[in-house]
Amino acid sequence: MKPLPRHGDPRCPAVRNLLQTIGSKWSVIVALHLSAGPHRFSELKRSVGGVSQKSLTTCLRELERNGLVERVVTPSVPPRVDYALTELGETLMEPLKALTAWAVRNECAVAQARARFEEAEEAEPEKQPAAV
Amino acid sequence: MKPLPRHGDPRCPAVRNLLQTIGSKWSVIVALHLSAGPHRFSELKRSVGGVSQKSLTTCLRELERNGLVERVVTPSVPPRVDYALTELGETLMEPLKALTAWAVRNECAVAQARARFEEAEEAEPEKQPAAV
DNA sequence: CAGTATCCAACTGGATACTG
DNA sequence: CAGTATCCAGTTGGATACTG
């Protein structure tokens, strides 16, 4: 419909897809852990903390499906499975870390904005000017 | 509980919060639209496309709550409301655009990874070695 | 125009139990 | 160990109707 083939098109499926992937609850955390080197499933589960097996599996599969993470199986007994960032995954880390760095740098500013917002909300009893 | 005050901690609430915010379905698209200049509510609704009033409102409120977007009301009849990025919001655009640029640059690589992944899935009928 | 309110379907993610 | 399968609660987001 709209002739926006410019690569900056925010509706670009690729962008939506990436945001879908990294927007899920654990993917970025997992990816950041993996950027420090390969990890086994249970290692990840422990070090990430608070994630269920199912969610971690889903998350890793999704990362794997998009070519960001590689699953390396060592057919021993018991089986050993390592997860590692692919080269593609590595290249994502740079912009991703820039984003998380922004989050940390501006943590206070955001917190202040929230405080202001909530204050403004409470000071808005226009529909109930008098009560109690 | 957990003594991880290192600012690189992926579990950092600020990071989780930012990802929560920009991970929602429309926020990044809306933010990118606003990075081109202020827009009215209905303008946004039209230009973003496919978003419901409720979702757009929720999205804008969330962005506003985090201090990324400013709501400017002109008390005319009918009322006019403009949304614009705040300075803080502007600073987020840089890492965010880096991320979307990555998505566009690597669109093909991701698509190929997906194709490979699905292929590998289909070639995995170990539990049903013979069929049809 | 710029919302709010309500209802509802789909998806996300956790807990639990079971398997190779 | 590294999952899969199932169930279930909470959240997200769309459709619709109504309001100042």
Side-chain angles (χ1 to χ4, degrees), chain A residues 8-28:
Chain A
D9 180 14
R11 279 159 305 190
C12 175
V15 174
R16 295 289 296 267
N17 173 40
L18 176 65
L19 289 167
Q20 175 88 358
T21 301
I22 71 167
S24 81
K25 191 166 180 180
W26 301 102
S27 47
V28 169

Side-chain angles (χ1 to χ4, degrees), chain A:
Chain A
M1 303 303 175
K2 305 211 171 175
L4 262 178
R6 290 168 29 233
H7 87 265
D9 180 14
R11 279 159 305 190
C12 175
V15 174
R16 295 289 296 267
N17 173 40
L18 176 65
L19 289 167
Q20 175 88 358
T21 301
I22 71 167
S24 81
K25 191 166 180 180
W26 301 102
S27 47
V28 169
I29 304 182
V30 168
L32 288 173
H33 275 264
L34 290 180
S35 73
H39 286 73
R40 304 182 60 173
F41 186 87
S42 48
E43 271 175 3
L44 275 176
K45 188 169 182 326
R46 242 183 319 103
S47 59
V48 167
V51 62
S52 66
Q53 280 161 338
K54 178 194 165 189
S55 297
L56 184 55
T57 300
T58 306
C59 172
L60 286 167
R61 287 284 175 285
E62 187 65 12
L63 291 171
E64 193 192 354
R65 195 170 77 91
N66 287 278
L68 301 173
V69 159
E70 197 178 9
R71 185 168 174 273
V72 183
V73 181
T74 309
S76 56
V77 178
R80 177 193 177 99
V81 181
D82 287 276
Y83 291 91
L85 287 183
T86 61
E87 287 186 23
L88 186 62
E90 297 277 7
T91 68
L92 176 59
M93 286 303 102
E94 204 172 324
L96 203 50
K97 283 179 177 172
L99 202 69
T100 60
W102 184 96
V104 173
R105 264 203 319 277
N106 298 282
E107 185 169 9
C108 290
V110 170
Q112 284 168 12
R114 290 195 178 202
R116 263 184 278 116
F117 189 81
E118 281 167 25
E119 211 175 302
E121 269 185 329
E122 288 174 13
E124 238 181 37
E126 338 181 308
K127 298 179 180 179
Q128 298 291 331
V132 179

